Amino acid sequence: MKRMAFMLSVAPMALLAMPVAAQTTAATAASTAAADTAGATTETSAVTEVVVTGLRQSMRSAQTIKRNSDAILDAVVAEDIGKLPDNTAAETLARISGVQVERFSDEANRVLIRGLPDVATTYNGREIFTAELRRVQLQDFPAQALAGIEIYKSGTADIVEPGLAGLINVRTRRPLDFKGRFIGGGVRLTYNDQTEKRDPNGNILLSDRWDTSIGEIGVLANATYAQSQYRNGVRYNNQWIRQVSPASSVSPASAGNSFYYPHSVGLYNDGGKRYRPSGNVAVQWKPNDKLEIYFDGIYQGYRGRQATDNLDVNLRDWDSTVLQDPTLTNVTLVPGTTDQAAGFTKTGGVAPQAYRSTGADHTNTYQGAVGAVWRGDRLTLSTDLAYEDSEYEARNWSLDSAFTTAPTVVVKFNEKDGAAFDLTGFDAANPANYYWRGYYERHYIAKGSGVQWRGDAVFDTRLSFLPEIKFGLRYTDRDASLIQGSRYAWVLPLKIALSSLPVGQLEMIEDPFRGDSQGFTQYLMPTREGIAANAAALRQRSIDALQQLIALYPNDQGYKDTLTAFSSPDVPLDQGGAFSATEQSYAGYVQAKYDFELGSMAFDGVVGVRVVQTVGEYSGTSRVAANGVTTLIPRTIEQNYTDVLPNISLRIRPLDKVQLRLGYTETRTRVDFGALNPALNVTQVVRDPNEPVDPNAPVQPNAYGSGGNPDLVPLTSKNYDISAEYYFSSTGSITVAGFYRDLFGFTSNYTSRVQDPVYGLIEISRPENSGAGKIKGFEVNAQTFLDFLPEAFKGFGVQGNVTYIDGKNQFPQTLGADASYVKITGLSKWTYNAALFYERNGVTGRISYNRRSPWVSYYRQATDGSQYTGVGVRATSRLDASLSYDLSKQLTVSLDVSNLLAKPFENYNNYSPDRTYPVDVRYEGRYYGVGLRFRFGE
């Protein structure tokens, strides 16, 4: 998980893209050496490249970008990334002020800026996406390929319209960033203490430039390979909280017969192997000093091989063959309560059930772009044309088992902050104790492609108060589609031995709990390859079992339908679960830069407006079930709307080292394609016309359903920003920023009753726009090298930031819920980052700490209509460290460790406003890495 640490520091790196106009007024622009000017990497203008090599220079470069930008942003340059023990762009972003990430399967896979998930993503200034999504998966960017990252927290009219949260631009190198021929790269080996597996990582970058008779030409190629094997162990309490059955036998009698407890407890071990091959190429041609023509190409790949295990131990239900509720003995209650169980011993009831879900999925994303920049004396023109194609495909093969008997279960619901249980007297290593329960297959395909073009002009007015005017046009044409299918054969009634299946030898699953097992942790299952590699044989075995079941139950239509689904070699794709979309957008903008002085104070800023028209068509197929008959009905809707997005900013510089920023912007975020799917899965209620109707009974719906929502509107926001910035040295600064967002239209899934023109009153679960919302908060950043210390300590430096966010929004009024504001889900109030680093005499070391305060996953509604935290997540923290040594100018060795604290992820379930149980305790891997970096050339 730390391959970022070995390539990005091997070469002289370029600054991230900065608008030329911003540089002309930069107080510190002269402090960095200008190199050749590359092609436009944002939508608007060319950039001036600056050579940086060490951590100190990297901090200087990032600080310069932040200080001189027209927008409010943070930046990380290549050396800064390379000095962190990070694996992907998403992991590095977690260290930036105002940025939060959510982790799963041992990696950061969701990025939030100032508490918001709707982040736009660009690659070298142009949009990039994954399959049917509107944004790229940032964890798919291997760190070795990146020259830097920009995090825009406020937009300007000349960049691709950011999402509500902001915009993240990732940038790769170009050949004219280097002085001449360059070869660099590295190899690295990581070790995961949970899987006890080792993984190779590596990359190679080749670049050269030539002066020819037709001008200067540069060519660059970069290839990377990143791999990790992971295994997260989870022990859990089911979120479904049940009351003890009146028919259950309970002891001691003092526990009563009305207490509550989780429906089940269990283990969930998420594991697998993932590897990401990727590469990019760049060609630059400068026929003369005024013209540059370039080509950018990127391939981004992902390959996953999963093996996820789940054991669920039922505590509440009775076995249909026994028709008797389980017996609960040794019942203890949570201190201070009379209705909440802390633990007990359960005998009888339903036998535990398990599965091993194996999967194979992949992503292939290709983007190619050609562009040109012409720089005249007063006018700069640029254009960029790009095409992208992206596909994600997944297959799953899951084998289900059940224990042959229900062993005695001793359970505690809150042992070391989570469930702990043991199965008394159960021989987990005996194959005779397992039945085959079922076999499941799934096939999922998502695709997306798009064309985008832009043209921009920057005009130097030579007016002191209005030095620059920009304007431009942009066109995009996107399409997206998704289709999937699944089938499941349930065969438990046949009581077939699990060991009789064509899957090879059964083995005990891995124990991922690092000695903190808290009871039962292992049981028998086939290996991953035993299932995935024998899918055809398992399919045939399922067909044989289904035929047996049909012979036993000839009137059961479900078995017959399942047999039909398994009759084809591949999983039938379900048109009822498919959707497709086409969408075009047309954008134009104009923006002016102003600059004046009042006395000794300098004022400058930008004023602009961006107008975007969106035209889309979204199609799906509804599945309607009534009287045992399912009908497929195609549905298509269209949208056509225009957004006017103004922006204005002001920078005040009372002193050379101090500046104050004020800004106002308006943003909007388009709804994800899948959420706009107009198709519904509907089950109509068929009532007996002769049945009497109670006029006093509540109105019952005519149908129940789920699906997308074509009535969703974009998420919109009015954004107010202010910051005070003090730059006391080239690598030292203290900045304080405040922000306020007035927003409307968060999209989340809700269940509500609506009047449908076809089905009448329908109770439906689907995405809805929430009501109004507001976010306010502040950020404080500080960084410096400690050059004032005695000579022996001058290589030390510190960085730190803290972010406070208070975000609330209303529930949709259509739900009839309390209209008061509730905390936005997924938002932590506090985020902290701190780092201590050292760089001197060829030694570079860094230790960094990140902490994120608790957040809410989702809400429940109390009997009075108010909302309360249903499931919440406890605070998370990480500690990472890295150390490298330059053996020579060309060779560097490195060591690093990620997730040193290895503190588990924990969440909890408030099943009523004053009653709670733990849900998951997830143990994640600690990764160790050793690497060798090399560089030849500059």
Side-chain angles (χ1 to χ4, degrees):
M1 295 294 293
K2 306 169 293 300
R3 60 186 182 275
M4 190 166 293
F6 72 88
M7 171 56 201
L8 294 177
S9 61
V10 303
M13 303 307 172
L15 261 77
L16 294 171
M18 277 196 301
V20 171
Q23 295 177 43
T24 62
T25 59
T28 60
S31 67
T32 53
D36 293 329
T37 303
T41 61
T42 70
E43 193 175 350
T44 60
S45 62
V47 299
T48 298
E49 302 292 356
V50 181
V51 176
V52 296
T53 54
L55 179 58
R56 181 184 293 267
Q57 189 72 354
S58 171
M59 290 175 58
R60 178 183 300 168
S61 302
Q63 182 167 295
T64 300
I65 294 170
K66 179 182 178 74
R67 184 175 186 176
N68 298 337
S69 173
D70 289 333
I72 294 177
L73 60 79
D74 283 290
V76 184
V77 299
E79 275 287 330
D80 203 1
I81 300 171
K83 296 296 183 181
L84 295 177
D86 294 323
N87 192 36
T88 67
E91 293 285 352
T92 292
L93 289 167
R95 307 179 192 280
I96 306 302
S97 64
V99 178
Q100 300 168 347
V101 300
E102 294 180 3
R103 287 182 168 88
F104 196 72
S105 298
D106 269 2
E107 70 175 2
N109 50 24
R110 189 178 188 227
V111 176
L112 303 92
I113 298 179
R114 290 175 171 174
L116 299 172
D118 301 290
V119 179
T121 53
T122 56
Y123 168 74
N124 288 339
R126 66 184 70 89
E127 281 188 300
I128 188 170
F129 52 84
T130 302
E132 87 285 12
L133 303 177
R134 293 194 182 274
R135 61 194 65 87
V136 75
Q137 303 284 21
L138 285 164
Q139 65 269 26
D140 284 347
F141 275 107
Q144 303 96 317
L146 303 183
I149 308 174
E150 295 166 321
I151 304 95
Y152 285 86
K153 297 174 180 177
S154 72
T156 51
D158 56 332
I159 66 172
V160 172
E161 51 269 18
L164 173 63
L167 181 145
I168 295 173
N169 180 55
V170 295
R171 180 174 176 267
T172 54
R173 300 172 185 82
R174 284 180 168 173
L176 299 187
D177 296 344
F178 302 97
K179 293 181 179 180
R181 180 174 300 171
F182 177 84
I183 301 174
V187 292
R188 185 160 168 271
L189 187 70
T190 63
Y191 173 80
N192 181 342
D193 72 338
Q194 279 191 225
T195 64
E196 298 183 349
K197 300 288 180 62
R198 295 167 179 82
D199 292 296
N201 296 265
N203 81 297
I204 182 73
L205 183 147
L206 307 173
S207 180
D208 207 347
R209 57 193 293 177
W210 306 269
D211 287 320
T212 72
S213 60
I214 60 172
E216 188 172 19
I217 297 175
V219 179
L220 177 148
N222 179 70
T224 66
Y225 177 85
Q227 176 180 301
S228 64
Q229 296 177 78
Y230 60 95
R231 191 73 171 167
N232 289 175
V234 175
R235 46 190 176 93
Y236 67 83
N237 289 310
N238 196 303
Q239 294 182 33
W240 185 17
I241 306 301
R242 306 287 302 276
Q243 189 173 25
V244 64
S245 168
S248 294
S249 174
V250 176
S251 68
S254 59
N257 205 41
S258 60
F259 54 83
Y260 291 83
Y261 59 92
H263 176 77
S264 64
V265 293
L267 306 173
Y268 182 86
N269 301 336
D270 172 42
K273 172 183 177 181
R274 53 175 167 254
Y275 52 101
R276 292 182 168 101
S278 66
N280 63 281
V281 296
V283 179
Q284 290 175 282
W285 174 34
K286 296 181 69 174
N288 52 56
D289 291 339
K290 291 188 174 182
L291 178 64
E292 178 186 329
I293 300 171
Y294 61 86
F295 168 79
D296 278 340
I298 183 174
Y299 164 70
Q300 194 178 71
Y302 166 82
R303 305 289 184 270
R305 301 293 181 265
Q306 302 85 24
T308 299
D309 295 308
N310 175 235
L311 171 70
D312 193 76
V313 181
N314 190 302
L315 302 175
R316 173 64 171 75
D317 295 336
W318 42 263
D319 190 323
S320 60
T321 63
V322 179
L323 299 180
Q324 181 178 348
D325 285 327
T327 298
L328 307 182
T329 58
N330 303 317
V331 177
T332 59
L333 301 178
V334 173
T337 73
T338 59
D339 60 354
Q340 185 178 7
F344 50 66
T345 299
K346 180 218 113 173
T347 56
V350 175
Q353 299 183 345
Y355 67 72
R356 167 159 278 188
S357 177
T358 70
D361 59 342
H362 70 265
T363 300
N364 288 315
T365 298
Y366 304 86
Q367 187 183 87
V370 293
V373 183
W374 179 83
R375 300 175 182 87
D377 294 336
R378 299 180 62 186
L379 180 66
T380 298
L381 301 176
S382 63
T383 185
D384 189 276
L385 175 67
Y387 173 77
E388 179 177 347
D389 184 82
S390 182
E391 178 187 66
Y392 172 77
E393 183 176 10
R395 290 183 180 272
N396 295 93
W397 309 274
S398 179
L399 191 66
D400 298 358
S401 68
F403 292 4
T404 57
T405 59
T408 299
V409 182
V410 180
V411 60
K412 296 180 180 179
F413 299 114
N414 194 351
E415 183 74 7
K416 290 192 177 181
D417 300 319
F421 63 93
D422 212 343
L423 306 183
T424 304
F426 179 73
D427 185 0
N430 186 353
N433 288 333
Y434 301 87
Y435 286 138
W436 176 30
R437 183 164 56 95
Y439 177 63
Y440 171 83
E441 291 185 338
R442 171 179 174 262
H443 190 191
Y444 180 103
I445 304 172
K447 298 180 180 180
S449 63
V451 175
Q452 54 184 302
W453 170 85
R454 64 163 180 82
D456 301 275
V458 182
F459 181 62
D460 180 1
T461 66
R462 296 184 178 174
L463 300 174
S464 60
F465 66 92
L466 192 69
E468 181 182 272
I469 297 176
K470 301 180 181 181
F471 51 90
L473 300 172
R474 186 169 183 271
Y475 167 75
T476 69
D477 189 347
R478 273 290 314 271
D479 66 69
S481 65
L482 184 152
I483 190 168
Q484 60 182 318
S486 63
R487 55 191 180 190
Y488 179 66
W490 183 67
V491 300
L492 185 58
L494 297 176
K495 296 186 176 181
I496 297 170
L498 183 66
S499 58
S500 70
L501 299 181
V503 292
Q505 188 73 28
L506 301 182
E507 296 182 358
M508 297 290 281
I509 69 166
E510 304 97 315
D511 181 355
F513 291 104
R514 283 201 201 95
D516 187 23
S517 58
Q518 301 302 309
F520 188 85
T521 60
Q522 294 179 283
Y523 53 93
L524 285 177
M525 285 299 287
T527 65
R528 180 195 180 278
E529 292 307 312
I531 299 172
N534 292 294
L538 287 170
R539 192 176 307 123
Q540 184 58 53
R541 191 68 185 87
S542 299
I543 291 173
D544 296 341
L546 289 166
Q547 290 172 341
Q548 290 179 263
L549 288 165
I550 290 172
L552 291 172
Y553 308 102
N555 296 324
D556 192 314
Q557 187 61 41
Y559 286 131
K560 296 177 182 178
D561 292 342
T562 303
L563 180 60
T564 299
F566 271 88
S567 62
S568 59
D570 202 357
V571 178
L573 297 177
D574 183 5
Q575 291 296 328
F579 81 86
S580 63
T582 60
E583 188 177 84
Q584 296 81 42
S585 68
Y586 310 84
Y589 77 88
V590 60
Q591 180 170 280
K593 187 174 184 66
Y594 64 89
D595 192 345
F596 61 92
E597 294 183 357
L598 291 177
S600 61
M601 298 179 63
F603 297 80
D604 65 9
V606 295
V607 178
V609 64
R610 189 178 186 92
V611 180
V612 186
Q613 183 183 26
T614 303
V615 179
E617 183 177 276
Y618 315 95
S619 301
T621 302
S622 293
R623 184 191 295 109
V624 182
N627 293 316
V629 178
T630 300
T631 305
L632 299 180
I633 303 175
R635 298 186 72 178
T636 298
I637 63 102
E638 296 180 351
Q639 287 192 355
N640 188 335
Y641 55 90
T642 301
D643 295 292
V644 179
L645 308 173
N647 69 283
I648 182 170
S649 66
L650 169 65
R651 180 172 60 168
I652 306 171
R653 289 172 288 166
L655 300 170
D656 180 57
K657 296 181 178 181
V658 176
Q659 61 186 32
L660 175 69
R661 292 179 185 267
L662 300 169
Y664 171 79
T665 59
E666 293 186 16
T667 57
R668 67 98 183 88
T669 303
R670 298 187 184 99
V671 179
D672 285 339
F673 290 115
L676 291 169
N677 185 358
L680 300 174
N681 293 321
V682 177
T683 301
Q684 292 183 286
V685 178
V686 179
R687 296 187 176 89
D688 184 351
N690 299 317
E691 182 180 344
V693 177
D694 182 357
N696 298 317
V699 177
Q700 297 299 310
N702 298 318
Y704 296 87
S706 62
N709 185 356
D711 298 324
L712 293 172
V713 298
L715 176 60
T716 58
S717 177
K718 297 179 180 179
N719 314 311
Y720 305 84
D721 290 276
I722 183 172
S723 71
E725 303 165 9
Y726 172 45
Y727 299 96
F728 53 84
S729 73
S730 62
T731 58
S733 62
I734 299 173
T735 62
V736 180
F739 51 89
Y740 178 81
R741 305 284 185 262
D742 187 3
L743 52 94
F744 177 84
F746 266 119
T747 300
S748 296
N749 284 313
Y750 301 97
T751 299
S752 60
R753 291 186 175 186
V754 298
Q755 284 291 336
D756 187 90
V758 177
Y759 310 112
L761 182 64
I762 179 173
E763 185 171 293
I764 186 169
S765 175
R766 66 176 184 178
E768 300 274 2
N769 287 117
S770 66
K774 51 189 177 183
I775 292 177
K776 59 184 177 181
F778 64 84
E779 302 167 355
V780 179
N781 291 269
Q783 69 173 36
T784 187
F785 269 88
L786 304 179
D787 293 331
F788 54 86
L789 293 177
E791 185 70 19
F793 299 97
K794 284 190 175 180
F796 284 99
V798 292
Q799 286 179 317
N801 60 70
V802 59
T803 303
Y804 170 82
I805 304 174
D806 180 19
K808 299 179 181 180
N809 72 306
Q810 294 177 315
F811 274 67
Q813 296 181 358
T814 56
L815 301 185
D818 182 6
S820 61
Y821 285 88
V822 296
K823 187 176 180 179
I824 294 173
T825 57
L827 186 150
S828 292
K829 183 168 286 187
W830 294 96
T831 303
Y832 310 89
N833 289 284
L836 173 67
F837 48 85
Y838 178 84
E839 183 179 55
R840 199 173 190 191
N841 300 323
V843 177
T844 302
R846 182 168 189 137
I847 184 166
S848 56
Y849 175 77
N850 168 270
R851 179 176 174 84
R852 181 181 174 189
S853 69
W855 68 92
V856 178
S857 291
Y858 64 82
Y859 288 92
R860 289 194 174 97
Q861 186 169 315
T863 54
D864 63 359
S866 63
Q867 304 292 325
Y868 67 93
T869 298
V871 173
V873 179
R874 304 192 189 281
T876 62
S877 59
R878 290 175 70 91
L879 183 67
D880 304 321
S882 64
L883 179 68
S884 66
Y885 178 67
D886 297 332
L887 298 174
S888 66
K889 184 178 179 181
Q890 290 78 29
L891 298 175
T892 300
V893 293
S894 65
L895 299 170
D896 54 77
V897 59
S898 177
N899 195 23
L900 264 167
L901 301 176
K903 294 188 65 175
F905 169 95
E906 299 174 4
N907 60 354
Y908 58 92
N909 173 24
N910 292 324
Y911 64 94
S912 69
D914 61 349
R915 294 289 187 269
T916 186
Y917 276 116
V919 181
D920 292 344
V921 180
R922 184 172 76 230
Y923 298 84
E924 301 174 339
R926 186 186 287 115
Y927 285 77
Y928 302 87
V930 57
L932 174 68
R933 305 191 295 265
F934 59 88
R935 50 167 291 173
F936 300 94
E938 296 182 357

